[in-house]
Amino acid sequence: MKIFAVGMNYVEHNKELGNTLLITEKDLRKTEEPVIFTKPDSALLKDGKPFFIPDFMGRIDYETEVVVRICRLGKGIPQQFAHRYYDAVTLGIDFTAREVQKKAKDLGRPWTIAKGFDGSAVIGAWVKPTPAPSQREGSLKDVQIPIQDLHFRLDINGETRQVGYTGDMLYKVDELISYISKYFTLKTGDLLFTGTPVGVGPVHIDDHLEGWLEDRKVLEFNCK
């Protein structure tokens, strides 16, 4: 299983971290190509298990993201067929060791440790997305959520900390899948973290995190 993630896929988050990709007020659409990084499978944390904060790494930030599950083998996938390659979405947390990441950036080094440490890729319960009308095939009785019209949020200790809307993504899910599949063969069970909106911040011991897709709570766990 591979875990892919997208950096700076929401304009306001880009501004929040100091216009890392130099998106200007004149052209807020997107950069030339998405920023893709990976996490090892040992980063995966699921089933509501607690997240143990690696305090030796300094500040650990939550980044709330919609996560897509790949459901079939694919390579070089045309964008118009990308919706056939995922079957479920959930909410996840891309935990980031912010001080470690900043040091790596300053030295021109990869982000691997800052993004890929154990437990840094949290996922919740899966739900089915709804394809766009032009992509619908057959009965859709069991599908509920349009993937590019999805509101989500993160609450910590009962207080809302992040609110996002997938329609604000600079690169949409189908664009990302098509792009990634040019370089990596996608396999069943691979995951795609699609980027975080504005509002990232640190977690602390005893924090209780809850994630919502529309009105459905799909993510809940504690920090220890």
Side-chain angles (χ1 to χ4, degrees):
M1 183 199 70
K2 300 184 291 298
I3 302 173
F4 298 100
V6 185
M8 310 308 258
N9 203 26
Y10 289 81
V11 168
E12 293 303 319
H13 174 59
N14 187 21
K15 293 179 182 178
E16 178 180 45
L17 293 187
N19 287 315
T20 303
L21 296 185
L22 300 178
I23 297 176
T24 66
E25 293 292 341
K26 183 177 180 180
D27 181 13
L28 292 177
R29 183 69 188 112
K30 60 180 65 173
T31 51
E32 290 185 2
E33 54 188 23
V35 176
I36 304 297
F37 60 94
T38 62
K39 292 173 177 266
D41 57 9
S42 57
L44 187 65
L45 184 66
K46 58 182 181 178
D47 301 326
K49 294 179 180 177
F51 171 66
F52 290 90
I53 299 173
D55 53 4
F56 65 93
M57 297 182 74
R59 170 173 163 163
I60 305 297
D61 280 3
Y62 59 82
E63 298 188 9
T64 311
E65 312 195 7
V66 170
V67 183
V68 175
R69 183 177 69 190
I70 301 300
C71 64
R72 62 194 294 185
L73 185 72
K75 173 72 173 175
I77 302 166
Q79 185 176 324
Q80 64 266 34
F81 300 129
H83 67 281
R84 300 177 181 175
Y85 288 82
Y86 54 92
D87 64 351
V89 297
T90 190
L91 208 60
I93 305 292
D94 166 22
F95 278 120
T96 303
R98 192 65 69 196
E99 294 165 18
V100 175
Q101 184 189 40
K102 183 181 185 305
K103 181 178 178 180
K105 286 181 177 179
D106 290 346
L107 294 173
R109 295 175 180 173
W111 303 351
T112 306
I113 293 176
K115 287 285 192 178
F117 58 90
D118 289 354
S120 62
V122 187
I123 60 170
W126 295 106
V127 296
K128 285 181 174 278
T130 301
S134 63
Q135 299 169 342
R136 295 178 181 177
E137 302 168 355
S139 173
L140 293 178
K141 291 184 294 184
D142 60 343
V143 296
Q144 302 175 27
I145 301 175
I147 200 164
Q148 294 300 167
D149 189 24
L150 178 62
H151 296 84
F152 59 97
R153 79 174 196 267
L154 175 72
D155 293 349
I156 299 182
N157 304 326
E159 177 184 347
T160 298
R161 298 290 184 86
Q162 270 190 294
V163 176
Y165 173 57
T166 56
D168 292 334
M169 288 181 182
L170 295 173
Y171 283 91
K172 310 305 184 187
V173 172
D174 290 357
E175 291 180 271
L176 292 169
I177 288 175
S178 179
Y179 178 82
I180 292 170
S181 72
K182 292 194 297 183
Y183 304 98
F184 301 92
T185 298
L186 297 180
K187 296 184 178 181
T188 300
D190 287 349
L191 304 179
L192 171 60
F193 282 67
T194 58
T196 192
V198 69
V200 303
V203 289
H204 306 92
I205 291 174
D206 294 331
D207 278 350
H208 181 68
L209 280 70
E210 298 173 287
W212 301 76
L213 289 176
E214 296 293 341
D215 59 353
R216 175 186 271 182
K217 182 163 68 174
V218 296
L219 179 70
E220 184 172 12
F221 66 99
N222 295 311
C223 293
K224 295 186 179 294

